[in-house]
Structures are given as structure tokens and as C-alpha cells.
Amino acid sequence: MPELPEVETVVCTLRPHVVGEKIKSVQLLRPDIVVPSETDLAAHLTGRSITAIHRRGKRIVFTLDNANGFYIHLGMTGRLTIETRDSPVTRHTHLILNLAGAQIRFTDPRRFGGIWWLGTRCTGDDRMGPEPLTLKPAQLAAALAKTRRAVKSALLDQTLIAGLGNIYVDEALFGAQIHPLARSDRLKAAQVGALLRAIKRVLRKAINHRGSTLRDYRDAAGNSGSFQDLHRVYDRKGQPCRVCRTAIERIVLGGRSTHFCPKCQRPSAHKAL
Ligand SMILES: [Zn+2]
């Protein structure tokens, strides 16, 4: 699933092609991917210019010249790409925005993603926690102190902190040497500090490598990321830890696969369980 680094990469590769461009026409091939369902998306978008595009959490937020906005969430398998007018339309293409020279296309085979019309609430900010790259240790400490959940589950909660998903939470917990089942409200200040540093480090590094491509993810130009080659725990079950050579373990937590090194992330090391 695309997380913060992948969505950031999509936005960066899309931006030079779309900002200042007028939406000449709209082809909505799957109207049921628009929320709210009664939205006349074509009427809202046709003839408007795109003045800005930015990432908020895992959302790709578009701002229009009349100060209205909408956002696209890529879900599990979504792609937002720039295509030429004559490139064949693939299956599962749900939306095509015709610009002067090119097209923006949204495809999503599994349809966990979608298009949310925001109107004038154009920040797309509702019920979302702060951005991790600008988060302060005291903010993270306060958010984690409020919950008894496992730290892995808490970090996946978009209302606590925005943009993290399964890959980067596992990688950050490894970087901070914290067990994924450690209770959030029992982490010490030093651990929270180490965790935030690890989160920022892994996200920045992943953005520099244009995200992780495990299966579906591509940027707006259709290119894969390369950060998957540098994963230290995610999707490495049974392989040797890159630090201590112990086999990486995989457990399922809240329905999500969770990878960790049982030696580097020993619960007894911090008595947080
Ligand atoms: Zn290890």
C-alpha cells in the first residue's frame, strides 16, 4: 500500500505536469469511486485550473482556481499517472482528467482508493493527526501516552500521526529497537525520542529512493521505487537481521503482518510489554 514516501513521490512527479493546467474535460468511468456519492465531479472540475497539489498524510490534495479542492487516496493498488492522450486506456481506469497536452489517469484494480470532493474545505485535513516529518518529540509522547495499544497499532492510526503504514512503522520500530507489541503508554521519553528520529530517518531515506515497490506502486511517470531493497525487517521473514543475523520474525497484529528482529527489538530490553 502506498504510504507517505510513495504518495510524496507521486505528488512530486505529478506537480510539474498539472499545476497551472486547465481541466478541459472529465471522463468518470466509475462514478461510485467518488465520495460523497451525490457529487457531480465532472461539473465541479470541467473548465477549472489546478493551482496546487500537495500531500497530506497519504492523501493527494488538489486545489482549484475557485478555492475548491478534492483529494485522491490510492488505497492498496491505486495509481495516479500522467499519460499521453493516445496511450491505451487500461482496465480499472476510473477517472481521466484531460489537460491541454496530457491526461491525469486514476486506476485502482482493488478499489480501496477513491476520490473525495472537499469543496471549500480544501486542506483535506479532517480527523488527521500531525505530519511525522515536522512532528516534535513532545507531540509524539503526548499522542502515545493516551493509548494502551501496541505501539505498532498506534502508529498506524492516522488520527494520531498521518502517513505511516505497515512498511515504515516496522522499519522505524526496528531503527528505534522497540518491540512492535510494546505498550504505547509505557514507552520512556528516550524511546519516544529514538522512535521519532527513526521515523524521520526512514521516511526521508525512502523519499530519496522514490518509495518502495513491492507489487503495484508506481510514481506518476510509471516508475518503480527502490527502497524495498533497503528494508531491514519488512517482508524479510526468516532472513538474517542486517545487524545481528538473527532470523526476522513475522506476527499478525490487528490483521496486519508485522516484522521485527527478536534480538534487536527484545521486549525485556525496555520492559514495555
Ligand atoms: Zn537483529
Side-chain angles (χ1 to χ4, degrees):
M1 177 194 235
E3 303 180 29
L4 188 154
E6 290 77 35
V7 177
E8 182 72 24
T9 305
V10 170
V11 167
C12 288
T13 47
L14 209 50
R15 189 176 281 128
H17 299 280
V18 306
V19 171
E21 291 291 321
K22 190 177 200 168
I23 301 169
K24 304 244 176 202
S25 64
V26 175
Q27 290 162 264
L28 183 59
L29 308 169
R30 280 295 305 225
D32 63 353
I33 56 152
V34 179
V35 182
S37 56
E38 68 275 13
T39 309
D40 188 346
L41 194 70
H44 283 306
L45 301 188
T46 304
R48 303 261 58 113
S49 292
I50 299 167
T51 54
I53 173 173
H54 74 280
R55 179 194 58 75
R56 176 72 175 100
K58 299 178 200 170
R59 299 172 176 177
I60 300 167
V61 186
F62 291 78
T63 307
L64 303 173
D65 57 354
N66 61 353
N68 282 337
F70 66 98
Y71 72 84
I72 289 181
H73 195 295
L74 299 174
M76 298 284 287
T77 55
R79 287 183 191 174
L80 198 57
T81 51
I82 286 288
E83 311 271 351
T84 56
R85 217 168 265 281
D86 53 359
S87 77
V89 175
T90 55
R91 277 183 75 201
H92 311 296
T93 299
H94 305 318
L95 175 72
I96 301 174
L97 301 179
N98 287 296
L99 309 177
Q103 294 183 333
I104 305 172
R105 294 185 192 173
F106 175 56
T107 60
D108 185 9
R110 293 186 62 185
R111 287 197 285 125
F112 284 106
I115 303 155
W116 278 258
W117 175 249
L118 294 165
T120 51
R121 299 177 298 119
C122 65
T123 58
D125 226 33
D126 48 311
R127 292 188 293 125
M128 215 192 290
E131 286 289 322
L133 287 170
T134 49
L135 198 64
K136 303 272 188 291
Q139 287 176 287
L140 183 59
L144 293 175
K146 281 190 293 195
T147 176
R148 298 164 56 131
R149 284 177 293 175
V151 62
K152 162 91 192 236
S153 305
L155 293 174
L156 290 177
D157 181 347
Q158 301 297 299
T159 67
L160 281 190
I161 177 169
L164 297 178
N166 228 16
I167 297 174
Y168 298 105
V169 169
D170 282 4
E171 293 296 317
L173 287 171
F174 177 83
Q177 300 190 317
I178 295 172
H179 194 284
L181 294 178
R183 245 178 70 172
S184 302
D185 59 346
R186 291 189 184 167
L187 293 177
K188 298 188 177 73
Q191 290 179 300
V192 174
L195 177 57
L196 186 56
R197 285 193 298 279
I199 289 171
K200 291 182 179 182
R201 195 166 56 233
V202 74
L203 292 177
R204 289 197 184 109
K205 209 167 168 188
I207 291 169
N208 287 340
H209 287 81
R210 309 174 72 79
S212 302
T213 296
L214 296 171
R215 280 192 307 198
D216 302 289
Y217 164 72
R218 297 287 185 279
D219 70 14
N223 297 315
S224 304
S226 64
F227 191 65
Q228 67 280 359
D229 299 335
L230 300 176
H231 289 176
R232 296 197 287 176
V233 285
Y234 189 80
D235 209 23
R236 296 192 66 243
K237 182 191 170 189
Q239 296 181 47
C241 171
R242 297 195 201 276
V243 173
C244 74
R245 314 305 293 167
T246 303
I248 298 300
E249 288 186 10
R250 175 185 180 274
I251 56 172
V252 176
L253 176 62
R256 312 295 300 277
S257 68
T258 296
H259 305 80
F260 64 100
C261 171
K263 189 167 176 200
C264 292
Q265 294 166 267
R266 257 200 307 255
S268 57
H270 47 77
K271 295 189 171 55
L273 279 172

